[in-house]
Amino acid sequence: MTMPVHKLFPGLRRLHVFDNTSPYTGGLDLGILHGIPGLRVEVERVGTRPHVADAKRFGDRLTTTVMLPE
């Protein structure tokens, strides 16, 4: 049985993600989340810009932030 992801998380409108992936991987894979209508995703990473593998699918609903190390 398969279920659309928007039915698993009804009402989810904002998601904050901390990117701790290795710089040698293909990037953070958030592809399944792009199908949730109206979902805004914020991705943070320390030191370098976060790399989201499917950023184009989110368009302006995706925000990336670089945090400076203390």
Side-chain angles (χ1 to χ4, degrees), residues 16-47:
H16 184 90
V17 178
F18 184 78
D19 180 7
N20 196 24
T21 59
S22 167
Y24 303 106
T25 63
L28 203 56
D29 185 3
L30 302 175
I32 195 161
L33 298 175
H34 87 278
I36 299 176
L39 177 66
R40 299 195 59 77
V41 178
E42 300 169 356
V43 181
E44 283 187 329
R45 183 177 182 101
V46 174

